[in-house]
Amino acid sequence: MRRSLRFAVACLFTCLVVPTTPAEEVVVPALLDRPEVMSFIERMVEQHQFDRQGLYDLFNEAVFKPTILNVLDKPATSRPWYQFQTNFLTDAKVRDGVAYWRQHQVWLDKARQMFGVPPEIIVAILGVETNFGRNAGSFRAWDALTTIAFDYPRRAEYFQQELEQFLLLAREENKPPLTLKSSYAGALGSPQFMPSSYRKYAIDLDGDGRRDIWGHPADAVGSVAAYFNQYGWKADGMVAVRAQVSGNQVEQLLADKFNLHYTIDELATMGIKPVNALPGNEPAVVFMLETDPGVTEYWLGLTNFYAITRYNRSVNYAMAVNLLAQRLRIAYDDPIEAAPPRSSRPPARRGRAAS
């Protein structure tokens, strides 16, 4: 499950460069002649009682998307922070996020009451993912998933699993598979859940009997909060703090920046200390941001940072969400104070930093 969201979200940031013109669509006439496809179909029939002819019909409708394969190894999250953050920490993003927050206040408050995740974090996720639901993907999910599952060997096993989950999801939600839209990596809805994540974590927050993360903002909001709750989100906790570094162990720690193996006290013995006092038993990871060419800052990511990196295993992504959330909170409370930060440092504010 952890792989599912981080792959989908890492791929999401490059989706705008993927051509989708009809001239580049290639129907794969021999898909049903491929042994791996027939094996997949037989498994769906035997294990999940799908109709064999129905699956034949679906695979005959699959449209191969070669341009998807050209960008799978080039996630935009691999860019240095000073380039990456310019796409997300913008005045327009903050304005749109505050408007989304005010429009869906009742659901954001309900999600916080249920799961302890603050509105600014949920709104920031939706802003980074799909510009608050506006850009949730224009590919047929069936085309995207079949293309990667059977023509991208490095991730074939994973995407065949996601294709299986997609078919189960479509059946459970009573949705025709060919009608569902996704990102080019097969991520679904405003939160960009992969099918396995959708089945595990999407919720029906508005109580209408459906888990609709495309057309129902309530369900998108609640599903993001439910996801973070499952990965240990700490209500009222911080995400990250600046760190002071000494000694020669930082490089080793940077290589393990996505796992909470050490506490603040243990990191202090290795020369890594927070600039602000934190409980010594607080788990933390060390990471680095390149704020300008050749200029770096060291940070400590806390439990909530870890939770965000379960959504996407990228420090750039986690910090973009964190800092956008802080700006959203400031603008929501007092729009006059919503000035863009000059670096990765959180902007000045009155009271506690956003969690």
Side-chain angles (χ1 to χ4, degrees):
M1 183 357 259
R2 296 180 182 180
R3 293 180 301 168
S4 63
L5 275 170
R6 71 172 180 263
F7 185 86
V9 181
C11 289
L12 168 69
F13 296 118
T14 51
C15 67
L16 294 179
V17 304
V18 182
T20 61
T21 59
E24 298 200 8
E25 295 182 351
V26 180
V27 177
V28 182
L31 200 57
L32 289 176
D33 294 334
R34 297 170 63 169
E36 65 271 29
V37 175
M38 296 305 296
S39 176
F40 175 87
I41 290 174
E42 290 305 309
R43 185 169 75 251
M44 297 301 295
V45 171
E46 294 174 6
Q47 295 184 6
H48 303 296
Q49 293 74 54
F50 275 82
D51 176 68
R52 184 178 286 103
Q53 184 59 51
L55 292 176
Y56 289 165
D57 294 342
L58 276 176
F59 275 97
N60 276 327
E61 291 290 331
V63 178
F64 179 54
K65 300 289 186 178
T67 48
I68 289 177
L69 306 180
N70 296 333
V71 296
L72 286 175
D73 290 319
K74 302 174 184 177
T77 51
S78 63
R79 290 180 295 162
W81 168 252
Y82 64 87
Q83 294 178 350
F84 178 85
Q85 57 91 22
T86 58
N87 292 330
F88 304 106
L89 303 182
T90 66
D91 292 344
K93 187 77 75 178
V94 172
R95 286 194 301 270
D96 290 348
V98 170
Y100 184 93
W101 186 340
R102 297 192 189 284
Q103 182 180 0
H104 304 295
Q105 176 86 57
V106 62
W107 303 117
L108 288 158
D109 288 347
K110 183 173 182 178
R112 182 169 197 165
Q113 292 167 5
M114 292 175 63
F115 300 110
V117 182
E120 59 266 32
I121 288 291
I122 299 171
V123 175
I125 287 284
L126 296 174
V128 170
E129 289 293 338
T130 58
N131 199 21
F132 313 106
R134 297 187 188 117
N135 303 320
S138 59
F139 286 87
R140 285 198 315 188
W142 182 247
D143 296 336
L145 290 168
T146 53
T147 292
I148 307 173
F150 298 109
D151 287 284
Y152 190 60
R154 189 170 71 83
R155 300 302 304 275
E157 180 180 358
Y158 167 71
F159 273 92
Q160 287 177 29
Q161 292 171 358
E162 289 299 330
L163 189 62
E164 175 182 0
Q165 293 295 309
F166 175 74
L167 287 168
L168 291 169
L169 170 66
R171 185 169 68 180
E172 290 166 356
E173 300 295 324
N174 196 29
K175 293 180 180 292
L178 296 179
T179 67
L180 297 177
K181 298 293 186 178
S182 75
S183 74
Y184 77 90
L188 306 170
S190 297
Q192 292 291 273
F193 278 5
M194 292 301 285
S196 60
S197 298
Y198 195 133
R199 294 188 70 218
K200 289 180 181 178
Y201 301 109
I203 67 169
D204 174 22
L205 190 64
D206 58 12
D208 70 345
R210 296 182 296 165
R211 301 182 299 167
D212 184 354
I213 60 174
W214 284 275
H216 288 212
D219 293 352
V221 163
S223 298
V224 171
Y227 181 88
F228 280 132
N229 177 259
Q230 288 295 315
Y231 282 96
W233 186 272
K234 293 177 65 175
D236 300 320
M238 299 178 68
V239 172
V241 297
R242 286 288 302 278
Q244 297 173 332
V245 174
S246 61
N248 58 6
Q249 297 192 56
V250 66
E251 293 300 324
Q252 174 187 345
L253 294 168
L254 288 171
D256 192 29
K257 57 183 175 291
F258 298 120
N259 297 295
L260 293 170
H261 289 158
Y262 302 103
T263 65
I264 293 293
D265 280 348
E266 290 169 337
L267 289 168
T269 67
M270 294 181 267
I272 315 296
K273 297 180 180 180
V275 296
N276 306 111
L278 293 172
N281 62 352
E282 175 89 15
V285 296
V286 183
F287 66 94
M288 180 180 70
L289 297 176
E290 187 177 3
T291 57
D292 285 299
V295 179
T296 59
E297 294 178 352
Y298 291 99
W299 288 73
L300 287 168
L302 308 177
T303 298
N304 289 344
F305 178 88
Y306 172 85
I308 298 173
T309 60
R310 300 312 93 181
Y311 213 98
N312 178 13
R313 195 164 287 198
S314 161
V315 298
N316 284 348
Y317 177 90
M319 281 301 283
V321 169
N322 179 37
L323 296 181
L324 178 58
Q326 292 185 24
R327 289 195 60 195
L328 287 167
R329 169 53 71 180
I330 293 169
Y332 180 85
D333 290 343
D334 186 352
I336 296 176
E337 291 191 21
R342 295 181 180 177
S343 73
S344 61
R345 296 179 179 84
R349 61 167 293 165
R350 295 187 294 214
R352 185 187 176 114
S355 56

